[in-house]
């Protein structure tokens, strides 16, 4: 009998998504290990401008400098008339707490009245503030994504939704993703470049761990090595979410460089980052045949983080689909650095 992971491609993606996973050999490592490139192949003919598939992220977050802007902290849609400045609706407010264990940036902002805070909850708030301030200082988002990811996995565990053959858990999906090895530098034209210093990653890990240190056996799950792998998976697979509306510019001091994610659009319109079940498997091409469009493509209100993969030209069943996910505003060395790790 095949293992659950061996049957993965038989169950995912679902046929209604119009694509299937495709694997090809992509060279070998210096040690002789075979490299596998994963991609998506069409299950039907599509016309130019047709939406091939749409999907919501299973983890997403606003960029740290957008948290005080006009975007929902949960779905990343624009906030209009809801009373909270952090969420677009009561549904999003509640979902942020029920699925992800709350908003790490606003741990005191619970959706309904609660009992007086205990010393432990006060400490939790301090831990959350410490992480948020560190992310703001360093212009980071992967620690926040990691907290949301862990919160979602814990919610699945508590609700008993993880582990069945027909219902792959969040970790089942994450476990299959490639990742950037952050324990060593990337060689770009003979220059050794680190995606993040090991000292910084260690600091991130300790701040994230502090939020869950009361959880039984958590030290067995989130080791420093696993945190580095999870961060590497976000950096390799996550996609920048682009606002279809004009993004307001804010007056602020110059920020650190931060982190790069898959994006072929000018960074001035980015509002956040999402990790997607299916779109994460798209491969790069400098001549892409699909493009990303976010949010609703009609008058129906949908999450701003909803990703639509749209054909740029007529395509035929069996064609592999490609996206250009390198920001063309980056300089040549930056683009080469990203492509070296992600292609």
């Amino acid at each position: 009998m095949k293992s659950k992971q061996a049957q993965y491609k038989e169950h995912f993606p679902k046929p209604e998504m119009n694509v299937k996973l495709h694997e090809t050999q992509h060279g070998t490592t210096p040690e002789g290990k075979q490299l596998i490139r994963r991609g998506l192949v069409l299950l039907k003919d599509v016309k130019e401008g047709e939406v091939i598939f749409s999907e919501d992220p299973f983890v997403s977050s606003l960029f740290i400098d957008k948290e005080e802007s006009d975007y929902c902290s949960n779905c990343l849609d624009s906030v209009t008339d809801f009373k909270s400045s952090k969420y677009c609706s009561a549904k999003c407010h509640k979902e942020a707490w029920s699925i992800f264990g709350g908003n790490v940036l606003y741990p005191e902002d619970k959706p309904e009245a609660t009992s007086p805070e205990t010393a432990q909850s006060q400490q939790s708030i301090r831990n959350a503030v410490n992480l948020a301030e560190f992310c703001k200082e360093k212009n980071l988002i992967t620690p926040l994504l990691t907290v949301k990811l862990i919160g979602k996995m814990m919610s699945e565990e508590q609700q008993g939704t993880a582990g069945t053959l027909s219902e792959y858990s969040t970790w089942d999906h994450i476990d299959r993703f490639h990742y950037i090895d952050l324990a060593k530098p990337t060689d770009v034209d003979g220059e050794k470049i680190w995606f993040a210093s090991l000292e910084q990653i260690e600091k991130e890990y300790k701040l994230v761990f502090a939020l869950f240190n009361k959880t039984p056996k958590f030290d067995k799950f989130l080791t420093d090595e696993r945190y580095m792998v999870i961060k590497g998976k976000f950096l390799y697979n996550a996609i920048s979410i682009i606002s279809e509306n004009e993004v307001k510019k804010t007056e602020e001091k110059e920020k650190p460089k931060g982190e790069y994610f898959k994006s072929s659009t000018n960074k001035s319109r980015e509002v956040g980052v999402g990790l997607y079940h299916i779109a994460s498997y798209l491969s790069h091409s400098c001549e892409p045949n699909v493009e990303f469009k976010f949010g609703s493509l009609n008058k129906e209100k949908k999450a701003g983080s909803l990703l639509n993969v749209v054909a740029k030209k007529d395509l035929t069943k069996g064609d592999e689909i490609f996206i250009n996910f390198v920001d063309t505003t980056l300089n040549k060395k930056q683009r080469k650095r990203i492509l070296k790790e992600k292609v």
Side-chain angles (χ1 to χ4, degrees), residues 69-72 75-82 87-89 243 245 271 301-305:
S69 64
D70 298 328
Y71 294 92
C72 177
C75 75
L76 280 64
D77 201 358
S78 57
V79 176
T80 53
D81 55 0
F82 187 59
Y87 303 98
C88 67
S89 65
S243 172
N245 303 315
V271 295
K301 179 177 172 60
K302 293 183 179 178
S305 56

Side-chain angles (χ1 to χ4, degrees), residues 58-59 74 91-102 147-156 158-159 170:
F58 57 94
V59 183
N74 187 55
K91 177 184 177 183
C92 272
H93 197 176
K94 183 177 180 180
E95 186 177 272
W97 284 85
S98 63
I99 297 180
F100 298 109
V147 170
K148 284 192 170 186
L149 173 68
I150 293 170
K152 184 168 187 177
M153 289 192 293
M154 291 174 65
S155 176
E156 289 177 346
Q158 292 167 0
Q159 296 174 22
T170 294

